[in-house]
Amino acid sequence: MDVRQLEFVLAIAEEGSFTRAAERSFVSQPGLSSSIRSLERELGAPLFERGRRGAQLTAAGSRFLPRAERILDDVREAQRALADDATRGDAVRIGAEQCFGGLVDIADLMTTFAERHPTADLEFVQDTSSRLAPLVESARLDVALIARGAGSPSSEGTLLRREPFVLLSSPGDASPRPESLDDLDGARLVDFGPSWESRRVLDRALADRGVARRTVVDVGDVHMLLSLVGRGFGRAVVPESIAAKQAASELEVSPLADAPEWEIHAALCADPTPLAQAFAAMLMPYAAVAELREELVPVA
């Protein structure tokens, strides 16, 4: 989801027509329609009813519209603050784990931010959540994507996504698929290193159930893990967003009963600069998706 999609939603709601909304937004109607369909797929619910008389908000769309308006107001307020801010050339320091590539395209966000704020300098730190959180608390990072086990008392910041862990297997793996965490007892697994938050969440869930799996290799790179699984070196239990990455498209993905969940939060330092606030505002559409997923019934 991006700010432009939210602007399209607002334009269609006000104009009551995809055609007039496209003209107002200086975009082709097929382009606007494609963008809205993509947003609806991400939300798991239709936002508009299309008909001869134009476009009308669905019940889900009516619930989504006020949130979209609030997000756009926040973005515009951040832009107005920047227009008067003397620290326009200051750096924005951002942190995230590798695991979040399937959830948030950090490279795309930073590119878009740089286009909107050409005098800003960006610094990016890729590390584990356990090391990123103290950097935000000490203001050595302005904003970071922090992972925590779902329901963890140490969760912080704005919730962007809550997702389950799933099982990855190679396409040629003919052995029975585990259906629950209990079935992983003694299983041959490829795991992230012990410092990764996803590994910690999985370790806690298995320990709680008394399951002892066999870690055949620890890796420190998402693509290495996916490559090893694809070659049949072992299976892996990973957050759902990793299974959605393009590099995992050939792998078999299976749900697990009682699989653990984790949450991704956007953590902002205590006294952020206007530039840092502007970057954080670009993450807010993901928060809207997370909130709506708790409310909306997915489209059949």
Side-chain angles (χ1 to χ4, degrees):
M1 182 190 294
D2 57 38
V3 171
R4 189 65 168 152
Q5 287 175 311
L6 300 184
E7 292 173 340
F8 291 162
V9 169
L10 185 60
I12 297 168
E14 292 179 350
E15 298 292 340
S17 162
F18 275 66
T19 300
R20 291 194 296 272
E23 293 172 352
R24 163 177 157 177
S25 304
F26 300 101
V27 66
S28 68
Q29 181 176 335
L32 181 141
S33 297
S34 176
S35 182
I36 293 298
R37 284 196 298 272
S38 175
L39 176 59
E40 290 174 325
R41 285 195 299 271
E42 183 173 358
L43 292 173
L47 299 178
F48 294 98
E49 293 179 354
R50 285 83 160 168
R52 294 182 179 179
R53 296 184 179 179
Q56 301 294 324
L57 286 167
T58 63
S62 296
R63 292 197 294 273
F64 179 72
L65 184 62
R67 294 180 173 86
E69 291 173 332
R70 288 200 300 271
I71 291 169
L72 289 173
D73 286 343
D74 288 342
V75 171
R76 290 163 184 157
E77 181 60 32
Q79 291 170 337
R80 284 193 292 269
L82 282 175
D84 299 326
D85 191 78
T87 62
R88 187 177 301 243
D90 286 353
V92 179
R93 298 155 298 180
I94 305 154
E97 280 197 24
Q98 281 192 59
C99 284
F100 306 150
L103 166 64
V104 179
D105 191 333
I106 292 291
D108 182 66
L109 283 178
M110 290 196 296
T111 300
T112 301
F113 186 85
E115 291 172 351
R116 295 176 181 173
H117 311 286
T119 61
D121 295 323
L122 292 174
E123 299 176 11
F124 179 62
V125 175
Q126 196 167 54
D127 211 329
T128 62
S129 290
S130 59
R131 288 196 282 259
L132 292 172
L135 294 178
V136 176
E137 293 170 2
S138 63
R140 283 176 287 173
L141 284 178
D142 294 302
V143 60
L145 301 183
I146 305 295
R148 291 285 186 265
S152 169
S154 60
S155 293
E156 57 202 75
T158 302
L159 177 65
L160 302 184
R161 184 178 174 89
R162 180 182 296 110
E163 63 182 16
F165 282 53
V166 296
L167 179 77
L168 294 181
S169 307
S170 70
D173 188 346
S175 57
R177 293 280 188 274
E179 297 182 356
S180 71
L181 291 181
D182 293 336
D183 295 334
L184 295 176
D185 197 59
R188 178 184 173 97
L189 295 185
V190 178
D191 280 319
F192 291 117
S195 64
W196 287 54
E197 190 62 27
S198 58
R199 169 68 178 272
R200 294 182 177 189
V201 172
L202 180 61
D203 283 351
R204 286 193 294 268
L206 294 177
D208 288 345
R209 301 181 71 88
V211 175
R213 90 290 203 178
R214 179 188 173 199
T215 297
V216 293
V217 63
D218 290 331
V219 300
D221 179 83
V222 171
H223 291 280
M224 176 60 77
L225 179 142
L226 298 177
S227 179
L228 289 172
V229 173
R231 285 168 168 77
F233 194 83
R235 292 168 168 173
V237 180
V238 299
E240 188 178 51
S241 56
I242 291 182
K245 291 175 70 68
Q246 180 62 34
S249 60
E250 301 299 322
L251 302 180
E252 297 289 339
V253 181
S254 308
L256 289 168
D258 303 318
E261 291 185 322
W262 78 346
E263 298 173 347
I264 311 303
H265 295 255
L268 193 62
C269 68
D271 188 22
T273 66
L275 276 173
Q277 292 174 353
F279 187 87
M282 294 176 66
L283 293 168
M284 290 306 100
Y286 297 95
V289 172
E291 187 174 352
L292 280 169
R293 280 198 177 103
E294 303 296 323
E295 300 179 9
L296 301 180
V297 176
V299 178

